[in-house]
Amino acid sequence: MSPPSTPAPVARQTGFHFRCIGCAKVSHDASRNFRCASCDDLLEIAYPQWQERKPDAEDLKATWSNRRLSLNSIDLSGVWRFREMLPALAGDQQVITLREGNTPLYELTQCARTTGVQRLFAKHQGMNPTGSFKDTGMTVAATFARQAGFRWVGCASTGNTSASMAAYGARGALRSLVLVPEGKISWSKLSQALDYGAVTCQLRTDFDGCLRLLQELVLRAPVYQLNSINPFRLEGQKTLALELMEQLDWKPPDHIIVPGGNLGNSSAIGKALVEMRELGLIPRLPKLSIIQAEGANALLRTLREGEGKRLISVQAETRATAIRIGNPASWKKAVHALEATGGACEQVSESEIAQAKAEIGAEGIGCEPASAVTLAGMKKLVRQGLVKREESVVLVLTGNVLKDPDFTIDFHRGELLGGEHDTPSLARLRRPPIVLDATLDAVMGALEQAEKS
Ligand code: F0G
């Protein structure tokens, strides 16, 4: 690898600039760790030209809708279709795309019945090409990595970022360096990174340790960091909210509920909502609420004990390994998103996560455990009166059910939680596999048994 160098020269951007979320300093290029040169806080991307001349909301909607008939690869992407809301590419730069986005919005009729919430939807980001929402951000950030002339991209990950980065890296002829906590990510996600050809390092630490190390590494080696600290990732992830509003005919729901880990996704959705309102694409802001696992509740504690002003880190532990994060990088951006939209932050227990995941599965949809915190959290918000039964709610399901089969199998076999967590409602949802002799009688017996239960 070539010796450490300053960032590869990036054509000076005219359509956007970087702005520090701490001191508001504006810059036209970013350092390798995407932190402010003055105060070390995170950067975000801003579009100064919108101040001078706002794009027309109706024109934008018509352009995005027309592109759905196009066969160009940039229009077939559910991210780049909304490119007026993204940083502009230099000249004839090609995008790295796997046709990300374009994910379904499902109605959750059974969960609506059991929770009493009349209009309940799931925006299923697990239907992206590598099975998680990360792809919507990765197409943008990987494209900018290539435009900036990098050969290597790198990330720390609880699994999904690494799977996504490795795929987009491979599509863009970039080499990938993955840092994951040893033994703490699902085999499905690890296997994706291996198959897409990443150099995969399982480090004897947790996610937070991996991210710390990556932040140091990118200052020493010419590796472009693709964690959600990278603001290009968040710009791509904004399109979830654009696509959702389009699917709802630009009539915002009352609530959007999202899981919180490193807090990049909630920050991206919050930014998108605020921008959409500023541009007149939507008449009002939905409340964006963030749900964490009890064992990885840094944001919740930051709000309750640190008044949203100082980060309270935690030693994270949860079987929802995607959000097993104790020191979330984008906590300040997430606090801004909650304040701007008036949403809440809640935490849910391991058994609440398991139950919600099985309930979403029983609707024929399925998701990974980290995504199920949304339904579990919504039940709490309903009990607290923060979500009213007549309101409309969209749960953001962030990952595909196939991402963590061990969790699902352990749950159905009754091996996920210790006995003390076992409740009748959990037992009712279990469908363990039945081992039988290969005879008609045995299978008929199983059928009769199931009819009775
Ligand atoms: N849901 C899933 C399935 C995830 O993989 C993640 C994060 C989150 C929710 C939380 O999103 O970090 O933006 O708040 N996964 C990262 C990873 C950290 O490395 O794959 P967040």
Side-chain angles (χ1 to χ4, degrees):
M1 187 177 283
S2 52
S5 63
T6 50
V10 187
R12 274 179 96 76
Q13 313 298 342
T14 48
F16 68 93
H17 58 218
F18 299 99
R19 187 173 56 203
C20 170
I21 61 160
C23 69
K25 184 168 181 253
V26 164
S27 55
H28 287 276
D29 30 46
S31 64
R32 287 256 189 83
N33 60 358
F34 292 105
R35 289 192 175 271
C36 173
S38 304
C39 75
D40 207 39
D41 222 325
L42 294 185
L43 304 178
E44 64 179 0
I45 286 174
Y47 302 91
Q49 81 273 21
W50 292 353
Q51 306 303 326
E52 290 147 30
R53 196 169 151 272
K54 259 192 204 176
D56 180 82
E58 294 312 310
D59 283 353
L60 287 176
K61 290 178 190 175
T63 304
W64 298 336
S65 173
N66 289 338
R67 281 185 189 145
R68 290 160 87 181
L69 301 172
S70 160
L71 294 176
N72 287 339
S73 64
I74 192 166
D75 295 333
L76 287 166
S77 160
V79 170
W80 294 100
R81 188 159 70 82
F82 298 102
R83 54 190 172 272
E84 287 72 13
M85 304 289 281
L86 302 177
L89 292 164
D92 59 354
Q93 182 71 36
Q94 296 290 305
V95 300
I96 305 173
T97 174
L98 284 161
R99 293 202 194 172
E100 52 290 319
N102 298 315
T103 58
L105 181 67
Y106 297 122
E107 209 163 343
L108 291 176
T109 45
Q110 289 174 39
C111 293
R113 228 180 351 263
T114 50
T115 56
V117 171
Q118 285 160 18
R119 280 168 300 151
L120 181 58
F121 301 90
K123 175 71 175 153
H124 208 327
Q125 294 300 90
M127 300 301 181
N128 268 294
T130 76
S132 85
F133 72 97
K134 306 289 181 179
D135 296 344
T136 57
M138 211 52 82
T139 179
V140 176
T143 297
F144 276 89
R146 190 170 66 179
Q147 177 174 301
F150 281 86
R151 281 184 50 239
W152 280 86
V153 289
C155 73
S157 183
T158 56
N160 281 326
T161 302
S162 50
S164 181
M165 183 189 78
Y168 282 83
R171 297 298 297 170
L174 298 164
R175 300 213 58 197
S176 291
L177 174 71
V178 161
L179 307 183
V180 290
E182 195 209 359
K184 299 291 180 352
I185 78 166
S186 89
W187 287 114
S188 305
K189 299 175 189 179
L190 188 70
S191 67
Q192 286 181 286
L194 304 180
D195 219 37
Y196 304 140
V199 174
T200 304
C201 305
Q202 296 181 274
L203 304 185
R204 292 187 199 93
T205 179
D206 54 12
F207 168 82
D208 302 295
C210 292
L211 187 56
R212 237 182 341 264
L213 206 142
L214 183 81
Q215 288 270 288
E216 284 173 32
L217 181 118
V218 295
L219 296 175
R220 300 271 300 274
V223 174
Y224 189 82
Q225 84 97 346
L226 284 182
N227 277 95
S228 55
I229 290 172
N230 180 325
F232 290 106
R233 279 267 316 273
L234 301 199
E235 291 308 290
Q237 286 174 212
K238 283 188 329 194
T239 56
L240 177 161
L242 287 155
E243 193 178 272
L244 170 65
M245 294 304 161
E246 189 185 55
Q247 286 167 318
L248 294 172
D249 199 18
W250 304 100
K251 295 182 187 73
D254 296 298
H255 299 269
I256 299 176
I257 303 183
V258 66
N262 211 21
L263 300 174
N265 205 29
S266 39
S267 303
I269 297 171
K271 185 171 190 280
L273 295 174
V274 170
E275 289 177 357
M276 271 191 271
R277 217 243 330 238
E278 272 170 19
L279 295 182
L281 289 161
I282 50 171
R284 61 179 175 80
L285 291 176
K287 290 192 172 80
L288 178 69
S289 292
I290 304 174
I291 314 297
Q292 300 199 291
E294 265 175 18
N297 61 355
L299 178 68
L300 184 105
R301 292 192 54 189
T302 295
L303 292 164
R304 292 196 183 160
E305 296 160 39
E307 284 154 13
K309 304 231 173 334
R310 71 195 156 86
L311 175 65
I312 313 259
S313 305
V314 299
Q315 195 62 46
E317 194 49 81
T318 170
R319 277 289 306 253
T321 52
I323 49 173
R324 193 176 179 279
I325 295 171
N327 194 30
S330 293
W331 68 275
K332 272 194 200 165
K333 291 185 180 181
V335 171
H336 290 166
L338 291 177
E339 285 170 355
T341 67
C345 178
E346 252 309 335
Q347 60 181 348
V348 290
S349 69
E350 296 294 294
S351 59
E352 287 168 329
I353 296 172
Q355 173 158 350
K357 180 173 137 34
E359 287 166 346
I360 294 166
E363 291 231 23
I365 289 173
C367 63
E368 71 165 284
S371 310
V373 301
T374 53
L375 177 62
M378 185 195 75
K379 294 180 195 170
K380 282 198 154 171
L381 298 181
V382 170
R383 285 200 292 276
Q384 294 162 4
L386 293 172
V387 169
K388 309 227 170 12
R389 290 171 195 275
E390 63 281 6
E391 290 180 326
S392 53
V393 182
V394 175
L395 308 179
V396 177
L397 302 184
T398 44
N400 195 287
V401 67
L402 297 175
K403 285 284 194 171
D404 196 347
D406 285 350
F407 184 105
T408 310
I409 290 170
D410 284 355
F411 171 77
H412 287 287
R413 286 192 171 143
E415 292 163 8
L416 184 72
L417 307 159
E420 76 271 22
H421 297 286
D422 226 356
T423 60
S425 43
L426 278 180
R428 261 197 304 279
L429 287 160
R430 276 201 197 108
R431 295 285 180 275
I434 310 161
V435 181
L436 298 171
D437 287 334
T439 65
L440 192 57
D441 280 354
V443 179
M444 289 292 281
L447 201 57
E448 279 161 25
Q449 194 63 37
E451 267 292 321
K452 278 189 231 139
S453 64

mmCIF file of all heavy atoms in Angstrom, residues 336-376:
data_model
loop_
_atom_site.group_PDB
_atom_site.id
_atom_site.type_symbol
_atom_site.label_atom_id
_atom_site.label_comp_id
_atom_site.label_asym_id
_atom_site.label_seq_id
_atom_site.Cartn_x
_atom_site.Cartn_y
_atom_site.Cartn_z
ATOM 1 N N HIS A 336 -30.691 16.048 17.408
ATOM 2 C CA HIS A 336 -31.278 17.116 16.572
ATOM 3 C C HIS A 336 -32.545 16.601 15.879
ATOM 4 O O HIS A 336 -33.552 17.298 15.812
ATOM 5 C CB HIS A 336 -30.304 17.586 15.481
ATOM 6 C CG HIS A 336 -29.139 18.351 16.033
ATOM 7 N ND1 HIS A 336 -28.008 18.632 15.287
ATOM 8 C CD2 HIS A 336 -28.920 18.891 17.254
ATOM 9 C CE1 HIS A 336 -27.159 19.315 16.037
ATOM 10 N NE2 HIS A 336 -27.684 19.478 17.231
ATOM 11 N N ALA A 337 -32.482 15.363 15.361
ATOM 12 C CA ALA A 337 -33.630 14.800 14.627
ATOM 13 C C ALA A 337 -34.837 14.656 15.555
ATOM 14 O O ALA A 337 -35.972 14.963 15.174
ATOM 15 C CB ALA A 337 -33.265 13.456 14.010
ATOM 16 N N LEU A 338 -34.595 14.206 16.785
ATOM 17 C CA LEU A 338 -35.705 14.069 17.749
ATOM 18 C C LEU A 338 -36.285 15.435 18.081
ATOM 19 O O LEU A 338 -37.505 15.617 18.133
ATOM 20 C CB LEU A 338 -35.211 13.395 19.040
ATOM 21 C CG LEU A 338 -34.826 11.922 18.960
ATOM 22 C CD1 LEU A 338 -34.281 11.437 20.303
ATOM 23 C CD2 LEU A 338 -36.018 11.065 18.556
ATOM 24 N N GLU A 339 -35.391 16.408 18.289
ATOM 25 C CA GLU A 339 -35.876 17.752 18.651
ATOM 26 C C GLU A 339 -36.659 18.385 17.498
ATOM 27 O O GLU A 339 -37.697 18.990 17.706
ATOM 28 C CB GLU A 339 -34.684 18.650 19.034
ATOM 29 C CG GLU A 339 -34.133 18.299 20.412
ATOM 30 C CD GLU A 339 -32.819 18.999 20.732
ATOM 31 O OE1 GLU A 339 -32.259 19.708 19.852
ATOM 32 O OE2 GLU A 339 -32.339 18.806 21.863
ATOM 33 N N ALA A 340 -36.139 18.200 16.275
ATOM 34 C CA ALA A 340 -36.794 18.836 15.117
ATOM 35 C C ALA A 340 -38.182 18.257 14.871
ATOM 36 O O ALA A 340 -39.093 18.971 14.451
ATOM 37 C CB ALA A 340 -35.928 18.672 13.871
ATOM 38 N N THR A 341 -38.351 16.954 15.135
ATOM 39 C CA THR A 341 -39.620 16.313 14.760
ATOM 40 C C THR A 341 -40.538 16.075 15.959
ATOM 41 O O THR A 341 -41.691 15.679 15.777
ATOM 42 C CB THR A 341 -39.368 14.945 14.069
ATOM 43 O OG1 THR A 341 -38.818 14.046 15.045
ATOM 44 C CG2 THR A 341 -38.426 15.074 12.884
ATOM 45 N N GLY A 342 -40.018 16.241 17.169
ATOM 46 C CA GLY A 342 -40.842 16.011 18.358
ATOM 47 C C GLY A 342 -41.047 14.538 18.678
ATOM 48 O O GLY A 342 -41.993 14.170 19.371
ATOM 49 N N GLY A 343 -40.156 13.684 18.186
ATOM 50 C CA GLY A 343 -40.262 12.243 18.451
ATOM 51 C C GLY A 343 -39.684 11.865 19.809
ATOM 52 O O GLY A 343 -39.143 12.710 20.533
ATOM 53 N N ALA A 344 -39.818 10.579 20.142
ATOM 54 C CA ALA A 344 -39.385 10.088 21.455
ATOM 55 C C ALA A 344 -38.279 9.047 21.292
ATOM 56 O O ALA A 344 -38.060 8.522 20.198
ATOM 57 C CB ALA A 344 -40.572 9.464 22.170
ATOM 58 N N CYS A 345 -37.608 8.752 22.394
ATOM 59 C CA CYS A 345 -36.633 7.649 22.401
ATOM 60 C C CYS A 345 -37.084 6.665 23.468
ATOM 61 O O CYS A 345 -37.433 7.071 24.578
ATOM 62 C CB CYS A 345 -35.247 8.199 22.709
ATOM 63 S SG CYS A 345 -33.975 6.923 22.800
ATOM 64 N N GLU A 346 -37.111 5.363 23.136
ATOM 65 C CA GLU A 346 -37.518 4.342 24.102
ATOM 66 C C GLU A 346 -36.547 3.170 24.039
ATOM 67 O O GLU A 346 -35.745 3.055 23.111
ATOM 68 C CB GLU A 346 -38.946 3.851 23.813
ATOM 69 C CG GLU A 346 -39.991 4.323 24.811
ATOM 70 C CD GLU A 346 -39.648 4.093 26.282
ATOM 71 O OE1 GLU A 346 -38.853 3.170 26.604
ATOM 72 O OE2 GLU A 346 -40.148 4.845 27.128
ATOM 73 N N GLN A 347 -36.653 2.318 25.039
ATOM 74 C CA GLN A 347 -35.837 1.107 25.055
ATOM 75 C C GLN A 347 -36.747 -0.108 25.233
ATOM 76 O O GLN A 347 -37.816 -0.001 25.831
ATOM 77 C CB GLN A 347 -34.808 1.164 26.185
ATOM 78 C CG GLN A 347 -35.449 1.294 27.558
ATOM 79 C CD GLN A 347 -34.428 1.374 28.677
ATOM 80 O OE1 GLN A 347 -33.256 1.119 28.457
ATOM 81 N NE2 GLN A 347 -34.872 1.709 29.878
ATOM 82 N N VAL A 348 -36.297 -1.251 24.723
ATOM 83 C CA VAL A 348 -37.106 -2.469 24.836
ATOM 84 C C VAL A 348 -36.225 -3.636 25.278
ATOM 85 O O VAL A 348 -35.022 -3.672 25.006
ATOM 86 C CB VAL A 348 -37.814 -2.802 23.493
ATOM 87 C CG1 VAL A 348 -38.920 -1.786 23.201
ATOM 88 C CG2 VAL A 348 -36.844 -2.859 22.337
ATOM 89 N N SER A 349 -36.866 -4.590 25.963
ATOM 90 C CA SER A 349 -36.107 -5.710 26.527
ATOM 91 C C SER A 349 -35.876 -6.792 25.474
ATOM 92 O O SER A 349 -36.503 -6.788 24.404
ATOM 93 C CB SER A 349 -36.888 -6.304 27.700
ATOM 94 O OG SER A 349 -38.041 -6.949 27.197
ATOM 95 N N GLU A 350 -35.042 -7.759 25.828
ATOM 96 C CA GLU A 350 -34.738 -8.860 24.902
ATOM 97 C C GLU A 350 -35.996 -9.665 24.579
ATOM 98 O O GLU A 350 -36.207 -10.073 23.443
ATOM 99 C CB GLU A 350 -33.668 -9.778 25.511
ATOM 100 C CG GLU A 350 -32.323 -9.099 25.727
ATOM 101 C CD GLU A 350 -31.617 -8.694 24.433
ATOM 102 O OE1 GLU A 350 -31.235 -9.585 23.670
ATOM 103 O OE2 GLU A 350 -31.444 -7.485 24.199
ATOM 104 N N SER A 351 -36.855 -9.901 25.593
ATOM 105 C CA SER A 351 -38.047 -10.696 25.286
ATOM 106 C C SER A 351 -39.050 -9.888 24.471
ATOM 107 O O SER A 351 -39.746 -10.434 23.613
ATOM 108 C CB SER A 351 -38.686 -11.292 26.548
ATOM 109 O OG SER A 351 -39.046 -10.275 27.419
ATOM 110 N N GLU A 352 -39.103 -8.576 24.695
ATOM 111 C CA GLU A 352 -39.986 -7.742 23.850
ATOM 112 C C GLU A 352 -39.511 -7.753 22.393
ATOM 113 O O GLU A 352 -40.320 -7.780 21.464
ATOM 114 C CB GLU A 352 -40.024 -6.303 24.387
ATOM 115 C CG GLU A 352 -40.823 -6.171 25.683
ATOM 116 C CD GLU A 352 -40.649 -4.831 26.396
ATOM 117 O OE1 GLU A 352 -39.565 -4.208 26.302
ATOM 118 O OE2 GLU A 352 -41.602 -4.416 27.067
ATOM 119 N N ILE A 353 -38.204 -7.755 22.203
ATOM 120 C CA ILE A 353 -37.662 -7.801 20.829
ATOM 121 C C ILE A 353 -38.039 -9.135 20.176
ATOM 122 O O ILE A 353 -38.507 -9.193 19.039
ATOM 123 C CB ILE A 353 -36.118 -7.617 20.825
ATOM 124 C CG1 ILE A 353 -35.723 -6.237 21.356
ATOM 125 C CG2 ILE A 353 -35.546 -7.838 19.416
ATOM 126 C CD1 ILE A 353 -34.220 -6.036 21.576
ATOM 127 N N ALA A 354 -37.833 -10.220 20.933
ATOM 128 C CA ALA A 354 -38.104 -11.556 20.385
ATOM 129 C C ALA A 354 -39.580 -11.693 20.009
ATOM 130 O O ALA A 354 -39.921 -12.226 18.943
ATOM 131 C CB ALA A 354 -37.703 -12.622 21.404
ATOM 132 N N GLN A 355 -40.447 -11.200 20.880
ATOM 133 C CA GLN A 355 -41.881 -11.310 20.598
ATOM 134 C C GLN A 355 -42.253 -10.495 19.358
ATOM 135 O O GLN A 355 -42.956 -10.985 18.466
ATOM 136 C CB GLN A 355 -42.690 -10.825 21.816
ATOM 137 C CG GLN A 355 -44.170 -10.774 21.496
ATOM 138 C CD GLN A 355 -45.059 -10.825 22.713
ATOM 139 O OE1 GLN A 355 -44.607 -11.090 23.827
ATOM 140 N NE2 GLN A 355 -46.338 -10.587 22.520
ATOM 141 N N ALA A 356 -41.768 -9.268 19.296
ATOM 142 C CA ALA A 356 -42.109 -8.402 18.148
ATOM 143 C C ALA A 356 -41.585 -9.014 16.852
ATOM 144 O O ALA A 356 -42.255 -8.984 15.819
ATOM 145 C CB ALA A 356 -41.523 -7.009 18.360
ATOM 146 N N LYS A 357 -40.392 -9.599 16.908
ATOM 147 C CA LYS A 357 -39.827 -10.191 15.693
ATOM 148 C C LYS A 357 -40.706 -11.357 15.216
ATOM 149 O O LYS A 357 -40.998 -11.495 14.024
ATOM 150 C CB LYS A 357 -38.395 -10.674 15.942
ATOM 151 C CG LYS A 357 -37.774 -11.293 14.698
ATOM 152 C CD LYS A 357 -36.317 -11.598 14.903
ATOM 153 C CE LYS A 357 -35.908 -12.946 14.347
ATOM 154 N NZ LYS A 357 -36.561 -13.405 13.148
ATOM 155 N N ALA A 358 -41.146 -12.178 16.160
ATOM 156 C CA ALA A 358 -42.002 -13.314 15.782
ATOM 157 C C ALA A 358 -43.349 -12.822 15.246
ATOM 158 O O ALA A 358 -43.924 -13.423 14.332
ATOM 159 C CB ALA A 358 -42.198 -14.237 16.983
ATOM 160 N N GLU A 359 -43.863 -11.729 15.790
ATOM 161 C CA GLU A 359 -45.150 -11.195 15.312
ATOM 162 C C GLU A 359 -45.019 -10.668 13.877
ATOM 163 O O GLU A 359 -45.906 -10.870 13.056
ATOM 164 C CB GLU A 359 -45.643 -10.085 16.255
ATOM 165 C CG GLU A 359 -46.152 -10.642 17.575
ATOM 166 C CD GLU A 359 -46.338 -9.603 18.668
ATOM 167 O OE1 GLU A 359 -45.841 -8.457 18.529
ATOM 168 O OE2 GLU A 359 -46.961 -9.931 19.682
ATOM 169 N N ILE A 360 -43.901 -10.009 13.589
ATOM 170 C CA ILE A 360 -43.686 -9.506 12.215
ATOM 171 C C ILE A 360 -43.487 -10.707 11.273
ATOM 172 O O ILE A 360 -44.002 -10.732 10.151
ATOM 173 C CB ILE A 360 -42.484 -8.523 12.173
ATOM 174 C CG1 ILE A 360 -42.806 -7.258 12.983
ATOM 175 C CG2 ILE A 360 -42.127 -8.152 10.735
ATOM 176 C CD1 ILE A 360 -41.601 -6.373 13.293
ATOM 177 N N GLY A 361 -42.790 -11.716 11.769
ATOM 178 C CA GLY A 361 -42.603 -12.937 10.975
ATOM 179 C C GLY A 361 -43.923 -13.617 10.670
ATOM 180 O O GLY A 361 -44.160 -14.067 9.540
ATOM 181 N N ALA A 362 -44.811 -13.651 11.667
ATOM 182 C CA ALA A 362 -46.100 -14.335 11.497
ATOM 183 C C ALA A 362 -46.995 -13.630 10.474
ATOM 184 O O ALA A 362 -47.992 -14.189 10.044
ATOM 185 C CB ALA A 362 -46.819 -14.443 12.849
ATOM 186 N N GLU A 363 -46.623 -12.406 10.089
ATOM 187 C CA GLU A 363 -47.364 -11.706 9.021
ATOM 188 C C GLU A 363 -46.803 -12.054 7.655
ATOM 189 O O GLU A 363 -47.202 -11.479 6.638
ATOM 190 C CB GLU A 363 -47.280 -10.178 9.204
ATOM 191 C CG GLU A 363 -48.024 -9.676 10.394
ATOM 192 C CD GLU A 363 -48.969 -8.521 10.074
ATOM 193 O OE1 GLU A 363 -49.381 -8.363 8.913
ATOM 194 O OE2 GLU A 363 -49.292 -7.795 11.014
ATOM 195 N N GLY A 364 -45.795 -12.948 7.620
ATOM 196 C CA GLY A 364 -45.192 -13.334 6.343
ATOM 197 C C GLY A 364 -44.186 -12.314 5.846
ATOM 198 O O GLY A 364 -43.824 -12.306 4.670
ATOM 199 N N ILE A 365 -43.718 -11.471 6.734
ATOM 200 C CA ILE A 365 -42.789 -10.416 6.323
ATOM 201 C C ILE A 365 -41.386 -10.690 6.863
ATOM 202 O O ILE A 365 -40.443 -10.815 6.100
ATOM 203 C CB ILE A 365 -43.331 -9.036 6.766
ATOM 204 C CG1 ILE A 365 -44.549 -8.709 5.884
ATOM 205 C CG2 ILE A 365 -42.282 -7.951 6.653
ATOM 206 C CD1 ILE A 365 -45.301 -7.494 6.276
ATOM 207 N N GLY A 366 -41.278 -10.806 8.171
ATOM 208 C CA GLY A 366 -39.989 -11.145 8.757
ATOM 209 C C GLY A 366 -38.999 -9.994 8.722
ATOM 210 O O GLY A 366 -39.072 -9.114 7.873
ATOM 211 N N CYS A 367 -38.090 -10.011 9.670
ATOM 212 C CA CYS A 367 -37.038 -8.988 9.714
ATOM 213 C C CYS A 367 -35.977 -9.481 10.679
ATOM 214 O O CYS A 367 -36.165 -10.478 11.365
ATOM 215 C CB CYS A 367 -37.594 -7.647 10.199
ATOM 216 S SG CYS A 367 -38.230 -7.686 11.885
ATOM 217 N N GLU A 368 -34.851 -8.773 10.736
ATOM 218 C CA GLU A 368 -33.851 -9.194 11.715
ATOM 219 C C GLU A 368 -34.166 -8.583 13.084
ATOM 220 O O GLU A 368 -34.957 -7.628 13.179
ATOM 221 C CB GLU A 368 -32.442 -8.926 11.220
ATOM 222 C CG GLU A 368 -31.984 -7.495 11.150
ATOM 223 C CD GLU A 368 -30.467 -7.427 10.995
ATOM 224 O OE1 GLU A 368 -29.720 -7.641 11.980
ATOM 225 O OE2 GLU A 368 -30.035 -7.170 9.878
ATOM 226 N N PRO A 369 -33.571 -9.132 14.154
ATOM 227 C CA PRO A 369 -33.967 -8.696 15.505
ATOM 228 C C PRO A 369 -33.883 -7.184 15.699
ATOM 229 O O PRO A 369 -34.785 -6.592 16.296
ATOM 230 C CB PRO A 369 -32.970 -9.425 16.417
ATOM 231 C CG PRO A 369 -32.402 -10.535 15.610
ATOM 232 C CD PRO A 369 -32.583 -10.213 14.181
ATOM 233 N N ALA A 370 -32.827 -6.548 15.208
ATOM 234 C CA ALA A 370 -32.666 -5.102 15.427
ATOM 235 C C ALA A 370 -33.842 -4.325 14.843
ATOM 236 O O ALA A 370 -34.223 -3.283 15.370
ATOM 237 C CB ALA A 370 -31.363 -4.607 14.810
ATOM 238 N N SER A 371 -34.428 -4.834 13.758
ATOM 239 C CA SER A 371 -35.557 -4.134 13.132
ATOM 240 C C SER A 371 -36.808 -4.247 13.988
ATOM 241 O O SER A 371 -37.656 -3.353 13.994
ATOM 242 C CB SER A 371 -35.864 -4.745 11.763
ATOM 243 O OG SER A 371 -34.708 -4.852 10.983
ATOM 244 N N ALA A 372 -36.924 -5.379 14.693
ATOM 245 C CA ALA A 372 -38.149 -5.651 15.468
ATOM 246 C C ALA A 372 -38.281 -4.736 16.678
ATOM 247 O O ALA A 372 -39.372 -4.619 17.240
ATOM 248 C CB ALA A 372 -38.172 -7.116 15.906
ATOM 249 N N VAL A 373 -37.212 -4.060 17.065
ATOM 250 C CA VAL A 373 -37.343 -3.120 18.194
ATOM 251 C C VAL A 373 -38.390 -2.050 17.875
ATOM 252 O O VAL A 373 -38.992 -1.482 18.782
ATOM 253 C CB VAL A 373 -36.006 -2.426 18.589
ATOM 254 C CG1 VAL A 373 -34.945 -3.436 18.975
ATOM 255 C CG2 VAL A 373 -35.500 -1.476 17.516
ATOM 256 N N THR A 374 -38.625 -1.797 16.588
ATOM 257 C CA THR A 374 -39.582 -0.743 16.212
ATOM 258 C C THR A 374 -40.998 -1.099 16.673
ATOM 259 O O THR A 374 -41.687 -0.263 17.245
ATOM 260 C CB THR A 374 -39.577 -0.511 14.689
ATOM 261 O OG1 THR A 374 -39.780 -1.763 14.022
ATOM 262 C CG2 THR A 374 -38.252 0.095 14.230
ATOM 263 N N LEU A 375 -41.414 -2.342 16.416
ATOM 264 C CA LEU A 375 -42.754 -2.752 16.830
ATOM 265 C C LEU A 375 -42.831 -2.812 18.363
ATOM 266 O O LEU A 375 -43.802 -2.338 18.966
ATOM 267 C CB LEU A 375 -43.123 -4.114 16.224
ATOM 268 C CG LEU A 375 -44.480 -4.669 16.647
ATOM 269 C CD1 LEU A 375 -45.618 -3.756 16.198
ATOM 270 C CD2 LEU A 375 -44.700 -6.085 16.091
ATOM 271 N N ALA A 376 -41.784 -3.385 18.978
ATOM 272 C CA ALA A 376 -41.773 -3.480 20.446
ATOM 273 C C ALA A 376 -41.841 -2.077 21.052
ATOM 274 O O ALA A 376 -42.573 -1.828 22.017
ATOM 275 C CB ALA A 376 -40.512 -4.213 20.907
#
